[in-house]
Amino acid sequence: MDNPIRQALVARQLEEQITARFPVGRRLKVLDVALRDGYQALRLARAGHEVTGLESDPALAAAVGRVLADEPEGIRERTHVVSGDSRSTGAHFLPGSFDVVLCHGALVPGDEPGPLLAGLGRVLASGGLLSLLVPNTGARAMRPGLAGDWEGALAGLALSDPADPDERALRLDALTAALTGMSTPLHRWYGVQVFTGGDTALPDGEEGERLLAAEERAGRTDPYRAVADALHLCAVRD
């Protein structure tokens, strides 16, 4: 699994938003853009939802297919993998086709998020939930600084220039404005991995649960969530 701590935290946050927004037992239509290892998509399929994954890398799509082959027939029948780039949603799906759209990791610094976000909003049904996971470009110096890597911290501070348009595009305020402009205003946001980095292993048993409990609480609490490794934005289509 790609970064089990991050995946577990996002899963909990996503479940909270889905439970708050949709009736219990409703089978949702879910699109996972940039499917990758398919962790969130498979979790939602196992929960009874109809899931479509969009993935441009044939090797990643094939890996998800191998995992699906070992799943029960019902899960296989309601999980579909489509070959395509994250910005090609309009070519594959009709407007308003999905109740939930996930886009976790497709946006990186230097990207212009507008076209991708517009495509995601187009395929999201009215009242639907958009889940975005983006790197926290405003806190790049935190992890190296906490590790005593002062050269890395200085480099992160130099990259976190709010005047740089490449950096600003993925900042919370810029994404909030973009989402509002496409009639999908931000409903809730979380910090993901306040205390741990991407290379931190998730311990087994009670220690792992305590780690996740601390991360989950910090991820919804100011000022901690603002310095997390990543930001999880949950927006709702008007």
Side-chain angles (χ1 to χ4, degrees):
M1 186 198 306
D2 177 28
N3 195 336
I5 295 175
R6 180 163 299 186
Q7 295 282 25
L9 291 169
V10 170
R12 293 183 181 198
Q13 295 159 359
L14 190 57
E15 183 176 359
E16 177 181 68
Q17 292 301 312
I18 288 175
T19 300
R21 182 142 301 276
F22 301 102
V24 175
R26 175 177 166 182
R27 178 172 289 186
L28 303 173
K29 292 185 177 180
V30 180
L31 173 64
D32 190 346
V33 174
L35 180 66
R36 300 193 178 182
D37 66 3
Y39 177 85
Q40 302 297 340
L42 289 167
R43 187 184 66 81
L44 290 169
R46 291 168 185 145
H49 303 299
E50 184 179 337
V51 180
T52 300
L54 186 65
E55 178 54 59
S56 61
D57 187 327
L60 291 175
V64 173
R66 288 192 292 272
V67 175
L68 271 175
D70 293 329
E71 294 287 332
E73 182 180 356
I75 294 175
R76 295 199 306 272
E77 288 178 348
R78 60 177 175 264
T79 306
H80 314 279
V81 180
V82 176
S83 176
D85 181 80
S86 58
R87 287 166 173 77
S88 67
T89 51
H92 295 284
F93 311 112
L94 294 173
S97 299
F98 297 97
D99 303 301
V100 179
V101 174
L102 316 180
C103 183
H104 297 167
L107 286 169
V108 297
D111 282 350
E112 167 47 55
L116 173 58
L117 293 179
L120 301 180
R122 179 177 177 274
V123 299
L124 187 63
S126 177
L129 176 67
L130 174 60
S131 170
L132 297 175
L133 186 68
V134 299
N136 187 3
T137 58
R140 290 186 175 193
M142 284 299 299
R143 204 63 56 203
L146 290 172
D149 175 7
W150 309 122
E151 183 177 350
L154 287 168
L157 287 166
L159 287 170
S160 299
D161 180 0
D164 184 337
D166 286 345
E167 291 297 308
R168 178 166 175 73
L170 294 190
R171 297 229 175 191
L172 180 62
D173 57 348
L175 288 171
T176 299
L179 290 167
T180 299
M182 53 183 263
S183 300
T184 311
L186 183 66
H187 176 70
R188 183 69 185 268
W189 70 276
Y190 306 86
V192 182
Q193 291 193 278
V194 175
F195 304 121
T196 57
D199 57 351
T200 305
L202 179 60
D204 294 329
E206 291 185 4
E207 184 180 357
E209 284 302 315
R210 286 194 294 268
L211 183 158
L212 291 175
E215 283 282 13
E216 185 176 24
R217 181 151 182 189
R220 63 179 71 234
T221 304
D222 292 323
Y224 305 103
R225 61 179 179 166
V227 295
D229 261 9
L231 303 178
H232 182 196
L233 282 63
C234 297
V236 176
R237 184 73 165 167
D238 286 344

